[in-house]
Amino acid sequence: MIGKYTPGIVQIIINRFMPNLGKEITNNFIRPLTKLFQIAGTFILISLSSVWLEDYKALYNFLNPLIVLAVVISIAWLASRLFQQLLRIYGIEIIRKSGLEADELLLVFETIVNVAIGFIAAIGYAQTQRFPLTGLLAGVSIGGVAISFAASKTLEQLFGTVVLYLDRPFIPGDYIRFSLTSGYTPPEGETYGRVESIGLRSTKIRVAATGTLYIVPNNQLANTGIENITRGKKVMVLLYLDFTKKLIEREKALVEQVVKNSTDSVFGIDPGSTKIAVFDHEHTDKCRARITFFILGSSENSIQLRKRLLEVANQNISKELKNFGIDFYLQEPNIYVDSPVTI
C-alpha cells in the first residue's frame, strides 16, 4: 500500500531539494513511469520488511534471494527507462545544438547503456548473495575453453542467436527475404517467407511459395543480408497550423519554405513526401496550414525517436516564423497514421 505512493514521495523529495526543476522532472520522468516507480518502491519496502522473518531461518533463506532479485530487476528496469527518457528529451536537443545529426546511433548507444545496466545489476545481485565471482569467472573461462573445442559449431550458432536477439532484424511474424551460402539455400537461391519462431540454435521460417517449414541455423542468418518486408512501413504525420491572421501570398510562401527546410532536416522523414497546403480557414478570417509527410522506421524505438525529432522540428518552425512576425497555434495532438507496405 505504501509502495503505491512511491511516485508522490519521490516528487515531494525533488520539490524539496530542487524546487526550480520539480515540475519539469515530474512531467518528463515521474508521470510517464509511474507504474515502474510503484513496482520498484513496493519491492524495496518488501525487502526492508523481510528482516522481520530472520527468526524463521528456513523461510527467510528461501524468500530473501527471490525478494532481492525482484528488487534488482525492478530498479534496473526503472533505470533503463529513466535513461531512455533522458536521452529522448534532453539528449537529442544537446546533439542538435552541438551541430551533430541525431540518428540511429542514439538507439545503439541506448542498447549499450541497457547492457551495462544489466551487467551492473547482475554483479550487484551476485554480491548481495555472496557468490564467489572470482572463482566463478575463472571456472567459466576454463570451462569455456574446453567447451569451445568440443562444440565450436553449436557455440557459433548460439552466438548467432545472441546477435539476432540484440540486433532484432526480425521477430516472429515478420515476412523476410534472404539468400544464404551454399549448403543451406533452397534450389531457387532466394527465400521468402514468414518467421515462425526464433530458437536457441535455429530459426523456423514458413516458405511462402511451398508452405514448407525451412529451419535455418542462426549463425547463417546473422551473417547474411536480410530484407524485412513487414517493417518496410511508413507512418503518415498530419499537422495543422492555425495562424492568428490572414496571410498574404508572400507570407504563405515563407511558411512553406520554413516548414520544408525544418522537416527535411529531420532524420528519417521520407525525402520528397512533405506536402504543405496553406488556405483560408472556413469558419474565420484567418489562415490554416495542413502539413503531411511520412516517417520511415524499422522498429517502434526508431519511430519514437523520429517523433521526438519531429517535436524539435516543430519548435524550430515556431521560432523561425515568430522571427518573421507570423504567429500560429499548433493543433495538438499530432496525428499519426500507420501506412504499411503492401506485401
Side-chain angles (χ1 to χ4, degrees):
M1 291 176 63
I2 298 176
K4 182 180 179 181
Y5 299 100
T6 302
I9 297 172
V10 174
Q11 186 175 345
I12 291 173
I13 295 173
I14 292 174
N15 290 333
R16 174 67 177 83
F17 293 99
M18 294 182 291
N20 295 331
L21 298 176
K23 186 176 181 180
E24 183 179 357
I25 293 175
T26 298
N27 293 333
N28 293 334
F29 297 99
I30 298 179
R31 286 180 182 171
L33 304 177
T34 296
K35 196 68 178 177
L36 291 182
F37 273 103
Q38 291 175 342
I39 293 173
T42 299
F43 280 125
I44 290 172
L45 290 173
I46 290 175
S47 177
L48 295 175
S49 302
S50 66
V51 296
W52 298 334
L53 297 175
E54 287 186 349
D55 292 338
Y56 306 93
K57 287 293 184 183
L59 181 61
Y60 178 80
N61 292 335
F62 173 74
L63 291 178
N64 186 59
L66 300 177
I67 295 173
V68 174
L69 179 62
V71 171
V72 171
I73 291 175
S74 62
I75 293 177
W77 190 9
L78 177 60
S80 174
R81 291 297 306 278
L82 283 172
F83 177 78
Q84 183 185 73
Q85 289 289 105
L86 181 67
L87 190 65
R88 302 285 168 84
I89 296 172
Y90 299 107
I92 292 175
E93 186 65 26
I94 293 173
I95 290 174
R96 290 178 66 89
K97 285 183 178 179
S98 63
L100 301 176
E101 184 177 0
D103 55 21
E104 296 277 351
L105 285 177
L106 283 174
L107 300 180
V108 175
F109 180 60
E110 184 180 314
T111 301
I112 293 173
V113 172
N114 286 337
V115 171
I117 291 174
F119 180 76
I120 294 172
I123 295 297
Y125 178 72
Q127 291 286 359
T128 60
Q129 301 305 306
R130 295 187 174 87
F131 287 158
L133 288 178
T134 305
L136 182 63
L137 292 175
V140 168
S141 61
I142 295 173
V145 172
I147 293 174
S148 63
F149 286 107
S152 59
K153 279 292 182 184
T154 302
L155 286 176
E156 186 179 348
Q157 292 165 356
L158 290 176
F159 281 123
T161 303
V162 173
V163 171
L164 291 182
Y165 272 99
L166 288 178
D167 193 44
R168 308 297 282 179
F170 52 80
I171 60 175
D174 283 357
Y175 283 89
I176 63 173
R177 183 183 288 116
F178 60 95
S179 181
L180 300 180
T181 57
S182 177
Y184 292 99
T185 310
E188 61 271 18
E190 192 174 70
T191 306
Y192 169 72
R194 181 178 183 272
V195 179
E196 297 273 326
S197 64
I198 304 173
L200 288 177
R201 190 193 69 84
S202 62
T203 295
K204 297 178 177 62
I205 301 171
R206 183 74 60 181
V207 180
T210 62
T212 56
L213 193 63
Y214 187 31
I215 301 173
V216 189
N218 287 335
N219 61 306
Q220 289 287 318
L221 287 173
N223 293 322
T224 190
I226 298 172
E227 181 183 3
N228 192 313
I229 309 299
T230 301
R231 294 190 190 176
K233 71 175 183 178
K234 304 176 181 179
V235 175
M236 186 180 74
V237 183
L238 182 60
L239 306 178
Y240 280 99
L241 309 181
D242 285 331
F243 298 96
T244 58
K245 64 179 182 179
K246 192 167 185 176
L247 305 180
I248 61 177
E249 291 302 319
R250 184 181 64 83
E251 290 175 325
K252 290 181 181 180
L254 182 61
V255 169
E256 292 183 11
Q257 187 63 39
V258 169
V259 172
K260 183 75 174 173
N261 292 341
S262 297
T263 54
D264 284 351
S265 64
V266 176
F267 175 80
I269 286 186
D270 188 11
S273 68
T274 303
K275 307 292 182 187
I276 306 168
V278 183
F279 51 90
D280 294 337
H281 200 289
E282 56 186 17
H283 300 301
T284 66
D285 59 348
K286 302 173 184 177
C287 279
R288 163 177 279 193
R290 181 179 62 246
I291 307 164
T292 59
F293 50 86
F294 288 95
I295 294 177
L296 305 175
S298 59
S299 65
E300 186 61 30
N301 274 342
S302 63
I303 292 292
Q304 292 300 324
L305 172 64
R306 285 156 174 76
K307 288 180 179 179
R308 175 56 187 160
L309 291 174
L310 180 59
E311 293 176 8
V312 176
N314 289 342
Q315 296 171 5
N316 293 337
I317 292 172
S318 177
K319 184 178 179 181
E320 288 196 36
L321 290 181
K322 284 183 178 179
N323 289 338
F324 290 107
I326 302 175
D327 293 325
F328 68 91
Y329 300 98
L330 179 64
Q331 294 296 320
E332 297 286 354
N334 298 338
I335 301 173
Y336 299 98
V337 181
D338 287 342
S339 177
V341 171
T342 304
I343 298 177

